[in-house]
């Protein structure tokens, strides 16, 4: 388990504990460089190995307040994963960096309650780049352009704590990820699919790392 400032083994023992940078508000464990599994932390745009050694840091000049980080292949011309970082706290500013730490793109998401809640979604055909969900919109991190999800009502009550949490999950058995949205203040659940919504193929659903990563559920 990656806690940002510590890494726990499967039995709960502490593998390492470090105080690398402020604002480790978002974490992940995923493939990074050459398929190696790494611990990712939003504070300073950090990547660690299993021993707590720093594999990469973007630094606090580029990431003064790393509110969120998501890892996926966001760009067509780079087969390696990239990190999309909400680098300026609770604001809309995003940068996309590769495994060498080179910043490949910068753009701004739409405003959303609390300005958190972005998620990487494998919405396009298998092998294609991932998109970013944020505040009822899907964003292309390569072009910096976004589109609204249709017929999604404004969260109620509108405010800092009422916003749509996004869980990307393949619930229609089409090898793509649907977008499952819920507002903790509302009983409704909304599911958007890139496939045929009128004729979905529903396979038995099994949760995986893309769903039980605790940062998706905060």
């Amino acid at each position: 388990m990656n806690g940002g400032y510590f890494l726990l083994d499967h039995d709960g023992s502490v593998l390492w504990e470090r105080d690398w940078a402020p604002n480790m508000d978002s974490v992940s464990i995923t493939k990074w460089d050459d398929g190696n599994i790494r611990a990712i932390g939003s504070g300073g745009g950090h990547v660690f190995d299993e021993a707590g050694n720093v594999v990469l840091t973007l630094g606090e000049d580029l990431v003064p307040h790393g509110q969120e980080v998501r890892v996926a292949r966001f760009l067509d011309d780079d087969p390696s994963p990239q990190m999309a970082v909400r680098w300026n706290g609770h604001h809309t500013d995003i940068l996309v960096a590769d495994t060498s730490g080179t910043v490949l793109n910068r753009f701004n998401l739409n405003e959303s309650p609390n300005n958190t809640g972005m998620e990487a979604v494998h919405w396009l055909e298998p092998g294609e780049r991932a998109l970013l969900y944020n505040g009822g919109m899907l964003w292309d991190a390569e072009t910096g352009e976004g589109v609204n999800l249709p017929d999604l009502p404004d969260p109620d009550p509108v405010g800092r704590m009422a916003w749509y949490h996004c869980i990307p999950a393949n619930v229609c058995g089409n090898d793509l990820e649907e977008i499952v949205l819920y507002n903790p203040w509302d009983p409704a659940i909304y599911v958007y699919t890139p496939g045929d919504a009128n004729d979905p193929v529903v396979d038995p659903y099994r949760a995986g790392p893309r769903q039980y990563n605790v940062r998706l559920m905060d």
Side-chain angles (χ1 to χ4, degrees):
M1 176 183 290
N2 179 10
Y5 298 112
F6 58 86
L7 189 71
L8 302 183
D9 207 347
H10 67 283
D11 59 1
S13 59
V14 178
L15 294 174
W16 53 260
E17 187 172 1
R18 305 281 194 277
D19 188 7
W20 293 114
N23 305 116
M24 286 289 187
D25 294 311
S26 176
V27 297
S28 181
I29 296 177
T30 189
K31 292 181 180 179
W32 182 245
D33 52 316
D34 299 321
N36 292 305
I37 303 295
R38 304 299 192 188
I40 314 292
S42 61
H46 272 84
V47 180
F48 311 101
D49 67 12
E50 69 279 5
N53 300 308
V54 175
V55 175
L56 174 72
T57 177
L58 299 181
E60 292 183 52
D61 288 341
L62 286 177
V63 185
H65 183 158
Q67 183 62 37
E68 293 184 299
V69 61
R70 298 293 181 262
V71 175
R73 189 173 71 85
F74 293 110
L75 306 180
D76 271 338
D77 58 356
D78 187 348
S80 301
Q82 298 93 37
M83 64 167 69
V85 186
R86 193 187 293 264
W87 58 268
N88 193 25
H90 290 273
H91 296 279
T92 63
D93 313 87
I94 303 297
L95 67 78
V96 180
D98 65 12
T99 54
S100 71
T102 301
V103 176
L104 304 175
N105 196 16
R106 292 176 178 269
F107 64 101
N108 286 84
L109 297 172
N110 56 309
E111 291 278 350
S112 59
N114 205 30
N115 277 323
T116 55
M118 74 172 185
E119 296 296 346
V121 182
H122 298 289
W123 182 263
L124 305 176
E125 292 298 318
E128 296 287 326
R129 67 188 183 277
L131 303 180
L132 272 175
Y133 166 84
N134 184 75
M137 296 184 67
L138 269 181
W139 288 84
D140 187 331
E142 187 165 65
T143 65
E145 297 176 345
V147 296
N148 287 293
L149 295 175
D151 303 320
L152 183 67
D154 290 334
D156 184 27
V158 175
R160 179 177 173 84
M161 299 312 296
W163 48 280
Y164 286 109
H165 297 240
C166 172
I167 302 176
N170 177 14
V171 297
C172 289
N174 54 8
D175 295 325
L176 304 175
E177 286 185 335
E178 277 66 46
I179 297 174
V180 181
L181 300 179
Y182 71 98
N183 174 7
W185 296 87
D186 192 300
I189 295 176
Y190 301 88
V191 180
Y192 289 85
T193 179
D196 186 351
N198 296 314
D199 187 25
V201 177
V202 180
D203 281 349
Y205 170 71
R206 294 183 179 180
R210 298 273 296 141
Q211 289 76 53
Y212 58 65
N213 183 338
V214 294
R215 284 302 301 180
L216 299 180
M217 309 297 288
D218 64 354

